[in-house]
Amino acid sequence: MEPVTGRQVRLAAGFWQTWLDRLRRDILPHQWRALQDAVPGAPPSYALRNLRLAACGEGGEPRGRPFQDSDVAKWLEAASYVLQREEAPDLAAHAAEVVDLAARAQWPDGYLNSRFTLDRSRPRWRNVRDDHELYVAGHWLEGLVAYHRATGDARALDVAVRLGDHLDRTFGPGPGKIRGYPGHPEVEIALVKLWRATGEGRYLDLARFFVYERGRQPAFFALEAQSRGDERPYDPRYFLSHRPLLEQEHATGHAVRAMYLYAGAADVAATGPDPALVERLRALWRDVTERQMYLTGGVGQEGHREAFTVPYDLPGDRAYAETCAAVGLVLWAQRMLRLEADGRYADTAERALYNGALAGVSADGRAYFYVNPLEVWPAAAVARHDLADVSLTRQPWFECACCPPNLARLIASVPDLLYGVEQDGATLFVHHYAASEADVELAPAGRVRVRQEGDYPWSGSIALSLSPDRPGEWTLALRLPGWARSATVAVNGVTVAAPLPVQTGYVTLKRLWRPGDQVTLALPMPVERVRAHPSARDLAGRVALMRGPLVYAFEEADNGPDLGALALGDVEAWQAWREPALAGGAVCLSGRGWRRLPPPEGALYARDPIPAASVSLTAVPYWAWGNRAPGEMRVWLVDADPLGPST
Amino acid sequence: MEPVTGRQVRLAAGFWQTWLDRLRRDILPHQWRALQDAVPGAPPSYALRNLRLAACGEGGEPRGRPFQDSDVAKWLEAASYVLQREEAPDLAAHAAEVVDLAARAQWPDGYLNSRFTLDRSRPRWRNVRDDHELYVAGHWLEGLVAYHRATGDARALDVAVRLGDHLDRTFGPGPGKIRGYPGHPEVEIALVKLWRATGEGRYLDLARFFVYERGRQPAFFALEAQSRGDERPYDPRYFLSHRPLLEQEHATGHAVRAMYLYAGAADVAATGPDPALVERLRALWRDVTERQMYLTGGVGQEGHREAFTVPYDLPGDRAYAETCAAVGLVLWAQRMLRLEADGRYADTAERALYNGALAGVSADGRAYFYVNPLEVWPAAAVARHDLADVSLTRQPWFECACCPPNLARLIASVPDLLYGVEQDGATLFVHHYAASEADVELAPAGRVRVRQEGDYPWSGSIALSLSPDRPGEWTLALRLPGWARSATVAVNGVTVAAPLPVQTGYVTLKRLWRPGDQVTLALPMPVERVRAHPSARDLAGRVALMRGPLVYAFEEADNGPDLGALALGDVEAWQAWREPALAGGAVCLSGRGWRRLPPPEGALYARDPIPAASVSLTAVPYWAWGNRAPGEMRVWLVDADPLGPST
């Protein structure tokens, strides 16, 4: 299916419009300041400094991480998504400057990477495994293509094409080319975008080559290391190069690399028939989302190497769940959905978007989490070595700052996630709910203006007004979220009889649609308890709260310290209420729970049952945690009813 | 109070006699082979190799850890405890060889340490913080004093005295001496033993100096580092030198160092009135045993630096709980008990001895755990970086092999832990229960032969026969274990009326005791559920099984894989039964529990309650785990009844 993107979709007042406003007014300006080292107290980025020096052609010592260019490129991509829908003179000026710098920093042969421009003693493409050159190139391509699409600027596309051509000349199966693939996948996604922007098949071919060549024998990374005399051992699993992708059974290694590789592979799979690749991606999808994903949609359990560990290893406190990995999971989900219309992909995209990803930024847009645990215990986080990566509060920037601009581009792209049109042009999919207006082309109806109203995710009442150019028979497919226990759909006030016509997670309404047709979808949003699969050991005997797509968290600010002593029983009487003061307005949940009390004399272990006091508890959306006084946070509480019906 | 030790106490057939037989027949011979690098497949120790080279005076490169001598010295101590009670020609010959080697390796000035003898380029006492010289010296003193006591060998005591004199000349407040203290405490305990063996007050004074000097400003470790031009940062908390012991509020840093320091300080406190030191030790005792101790008596939560972390941080899978630290906790408890007759100390000694320490050795005596987690999940242990220290099976030896000989000396010293006599000679304390015969001197009764019968810890029925030289009034104080909910005591068949006369954990029977008096103590030993303090987050909603002093563990061998899915409810109907095939005969527990079932379609998260199947479960004593096929192990299961009475 084809997504409906760009100016075709415009948000209206609501949850995501608020975030887009915040993005334009706070997040992107803050990030621009950070990129030019102008945020007091933040680690310097050096990214714009490097790029400006490279553009001047004067050389100099590159500073910061080897992939600092990518932060600028991701910022450019995010700003471009904003610019395609609204006026933002400051962002427009900065984005134009970035494109100008890129054009000037680009080598005559198309190569673009400030670090190697500044330090010409370091040979290009010598260490494809570790130097992140393809990763940086990919982000440049994505940013430049997005800018071109937003502004029509020919120079941006020209820089991208010259860079793409350079990659095509450098890599591939042909003679004299490097028969290799990126150490950090990313460029696969970017090359598909460049192909879509230009129609030039060589870019798609190269993306395809990178996907299929990866993991073949003889191992490129080993050969490459040998050729540069590098005898240090490396772990092919970390790089997802231990075997060809078609033979990889489990998500492994560096989580962000995995997400980007799978997303790029899904892009490739969408362009041509390769049932084996699609089947492999489905299997990996299940491995990630059914065995290795946090409740929040965070992935990558372990801080050491930012990697996957083993199925069902989902510790709350030690969770790494890098913001970039949640962003990557959305990117992958979106592409799986393009491959096949299955609501599970949109369910997971929603989970990761509203929880694991969005938690990465503060309500004021100026501070970020890199690591997103589901439990924070400040005393331990300071003392314990295994929690060294955990930050108790969001930070203004990072020495390795991949996450903030990644999250920015995701937020900026939310309108592009909402709708899709089936190949035959006769089915309109509504994947996600957000107050908005969209114009889509459908074969039987011409242009259809779709107006979506509602207060999602706070409310499950959604209204759609359809204004097709002409009456015609086509299918409106409304996603029935996996979290919804029931749904009521009405067309022009007439309720669709149960059972609803549901196909792979979508309510499919095929009929003759006329201008002015109204569709309503009512998804009850009770407060609900969620439990994990019994094999998830760290979550055994634990329960979390969700309402709609949102995971909730308990904070010390509401519930006092020692959150581990809290237990949750029945939540039927819990109330959802709007707290305007929290994160620009968030729906919180309150009700009764339990606080387990210390045994007499504070004994560490006791043979008598643990008494419990009934207490009032309040939970906030996980994404909104950490926007008040620093303190404890916990998603999973003790489950007062750990056993369901016995068999 | 004075412990009753040495030949005065002799074990009879029972739990500990079995272990002492195993020690003499399997453990100490295996360790001797390991110390001379004769165990195939085990990492070489080099300890005897180094010592023999040093004794020859030929020099050579020292191999292994800087403290390898201490493994030999601990072996000597353990063997000496055996030799003082029984004939063991092979052990006697090896022990004599060790003493001979030590005497020959000793420098003319009394210094004794193979590493520095072999490598004379490395100055002695230059890096007291890191070089473990005082630690090694301490273990030599302990081993030599024990050997002298067992055999009367004057040469052993002479070597010890010369070494002690060397330490006294080298360290202390006087002019020309090093005003410092050990990086790894241990010598404090040893100097007190040397003082007791010789009556020479200088040794006690030096132990006292080490205890009180530690942590004073200016910081010795910093000055010492400065003087050798060592600018690397170090963490004084790791060394327990961040402030004077009298000002230390929490157990911190390296757990074994902490245990040894506190034990040495308790020895010092027992020799003279220092209420502040006693009070400080009581506070640290509470900090450890009420906030930082595993159910098994293991301490030191974190593998990184083998250290304490923060109160109530008691993860099952990441537990480090080094065998040496459990041994150290017993050593400290024993000394606190000497300071004041409080059953809590004996309770904790019992907990650590029967669980955290004893788990360190296999039933065949030839394999050892260094790390003692309360949960082992093989798949994760292999993959997760934070579990890198966890061994799935006991190992024949270690490159750093402090634990095996430490455990050997603890097992060998069990008879010494059983009894104590109050200062006034008119109260006999029975701290621990074990089939045995003891001869104690009591002022009112002369020599009293105490015969203890019973099958502790498998049974709580204990019978004591008292045979005093003459009738006399004195007090028999029987420890009422903290785990016992009730107790019945009878004297000559007449039940002592309730409430029992209990003082600080002891049933005190003061009366005119006559030859032939019989006392019985019946401690019911039901299978019981144990929960942790609600602040122990990792244990929230979890329950463990105990019977008497023993912690139980669930193994894959009995219960299948995926132990995290198991839940425990009521255990009143559980049965205890003897399994002769397990670890030489162990009482196992069996009954009904629950296995929580995966949600439909294996979803990772579900909003419906988790169904549970009633299943048969079997638990084995924690110390006996890992003696069958390798697999999962888990102490804490999901608590089916996590909330007790509401308040």
Side-chain angles (χ1 to χ4, degrees), chain B residues 166-199:
Chain B
H166 174 78
L167 299 181
D168 176 50
R169 284 193 305 276
T170 308
F171 288 90
K177 293 185 173 185
I178 300 174
R179 197 180 176 100
Y181 37 83
H184 194 314
E186 204 293 321
V187 74
E188 300 86 343
I189 292 170
L191 286 163
V192 172
K193 285 186 174 177
L194 185 60
W195 163 65
R196 289 190 199 279
T198 62

Side-chain angles (χ1 to χ4, degrees), chain B residues 176-233:
Chain B
K177 293 185 173 185
I178 300 174
R179 197 180 176 100
Y181 37 83
H184 194 314
E186 204 293 321
V187 74
E188 300 86 343
I189 292 170
L191 286 163
V192 172
K193 285 186 174 177
L194 185 60
W195 163 65
R196 289 190 199 279
T198 62
E200 173 54 71
R202 284 180 294 117
Y203 307 136
L204 176 60
D205 292 344
L206 184 56
R208 184 177 291 275
F209 169 77
F210 284 145
V211 167
Y212 282 95
E213 184 65 17
R214 190 171 205 89
R216 288 204 171 140
Q217 289 299 328
F220 164 64
F221 292 148
L223 294 177
E224 186 200 40
Q226 203 174 9
S227 77
R228 65 176 182 266
D230 179 351
E231 291 176 358
R232 294 170 302 165

Side-chain angles (χ1 to χ4, degrees), chain B residues 232-253:
Chain B
R232 294 170 302 165
Y234 76 100
D235 178 6
R237 293 177 66 89
Y238 169 81
F239 293 98
L240 295 108
S241 68
H242 52 298
R243 59 179 67 154
L245 182 59
L246 284 179
E247 296 169 21
Q248 293 185 22
E249 289 180 10
H250 298 289
T252 185

